[in-house]
Amino acid sequence: MEQRAYITQRMDELKKQVLTMAAMTRKALNDAIKAFLVLDSDLAESVIHGDVEINEIENQLDQFNLELLALTQPMAGDLRAIVGSMRMTMNMERIGDEAVNLAHRTVFLSTRPPLPLDPNMDKLARIAQEMLSDAIRAFVEGDVQLAASICVRDQAADDLHYKIMRKVITDMLDESRIAERGVHHIMAAKHIERVADLCTNLAEAVIFIVKGEEIKHRCQA
Amino acid sequence: MNIKVKSIGLDFYYGEFKALEDISLDIGENQVTALIGPSGCGKSTYLRCLNRMNDLIPGTKAQGKLLLDEEDIYAADVDVVTLRRRVGMVFQKPNPFPKTIFENVAYGPRVNGIKDKEFIANRVEESLKDAALWKEVRDRLHSSALGLSGGQQQRLCIARALAVEPEVLLMDEPASALDPIATQKIEDLIHELKKKLTIVIVTHSMQQAARVSDRTAFFYMGKLIEVDKTETLFTKPKERRTEDYITGRFG
Ligand SMILES: Nc1ncnc2c1ncn2[C@@H]1O[C@H](COP(=O)(O)OP(=O)(O)O)[C@@H](O)[C@H]1O
Ligand SMILES: [Mg+2]
């Protein structure tokens, strides 16, 4: 095959694999959140067991990217797509880990009498889920504007996380019997807030791929 | 960046054929500037303007300005011999004279009228050291240059160019006839040489341009499409045509 056709074909394949991993990551997060909100320990268990597959595809993508770098010596847009994909897979794998962490909280909490969730937990979860879906969409469409909007939303996630923590701490001070469950709620909120952070990394990677701009840790397009 | 060579709106013609159009390019002192682009885009032509080697081809004409240290290279009163001493050149195929290693390097100083034997011997040694060849040939300075390997011959040609102490060294695909190890030696040498002089290199290997140069200029159909710091040009080119070329979409 002609060299350029070969590279184009490999780059398409790379994008497909990143999207496969993205779909798996999104499913893990959505399931982990759903399981947490309704205390479904079976669903939580399935998230925990499913994580090996995300780790596996991350390894495959690392290998794929490494081979592309070595064999095609990419430049410019191709090079950025590869480096950006590596950043994306790394961050998606971590989102998978946070989904697992959240699932462990669910498994624990399902063995205790239910403790009502702070309504903000629902909002926080929704923001994190949307940030992930939008990061994936921004990647598919090369939409820099959408990617930049994800970074902005991280602030809302941070604020909600803080509010939840304050609220649960106050409740625990009033009622020490709930302390154990309360700590798990606080940790759960932290896992979800962490997902939002990781989504901003995904969004930054998208902006890097499209525009070549190094906006890491600043997140402005 | 201190500008060593500056072209402003340079056009170049082979007869009626316009091989270069409106080239404005600054070449930084003690930098390596790489010229890349598909074959026939005018890289060698541009390089040969810099020491007026093109004058040797009948029916050619340059228009616009080409300045070396702010002086017009194409001005009527320029002594071409002096210009070519200041702006040396190395070609794609190593082309040593069928003489001894010593005589190849001594050639330039001798042509420039130097008679002092000790001075010449010193120049030869210095130049061979600068070309990273001294250790390999010190014991056989008086054997034929044609007995050297291709990579050694190319470094000998570099030593020959260095012997007249040029300020600018032009290299036209200097490693394209060499194996990877000989190529690496030339590239290492380029890194050393730029401390002393200014280098302009034509290369058809983008990886080589990326490895050796500080700035890269992309030529296409006689025009300069884009020039930038090498790391920027290869990661974030501004022009679509540059992107297409360096990612192998044409050429
Ligand atoms: N001596 C010459 N006479 C006429 N045309 C020439 C001569 N040398 C080069 N050209 C033409 O000028 C253009 C640029 O050539 P050149 O500078 O050798 O390109 P490159 O080095 O980028 O491959 C080409 O179209 C080539 O055919
Ligand atoms: Mg050429």
Side-chain angles (χ1 to χ4, degrees), chain B residues 14 17 19 37-46 48 57 202:
Chain B
Y14 293 103
F17 176 66
S39 75
C41 69
K43 305 177 298 290
S44 297
T45 300
Y46 179 76
R48 287 194 304 260
I57 305 166
V202 169

Side-chain angles (χ1 to χ4, degrees), chain A residues 167-181:
Chain A
K167 174 71 166 59
V168 179
I169 289 171
T170 313
D171 290 351
M172 291 193 303
L173 289 173
D174 287 347
E175 176 64 82
S176 64
R177 276 185 310 119
I178 67 162
E180 189 183 39
R181 284 165 290 165

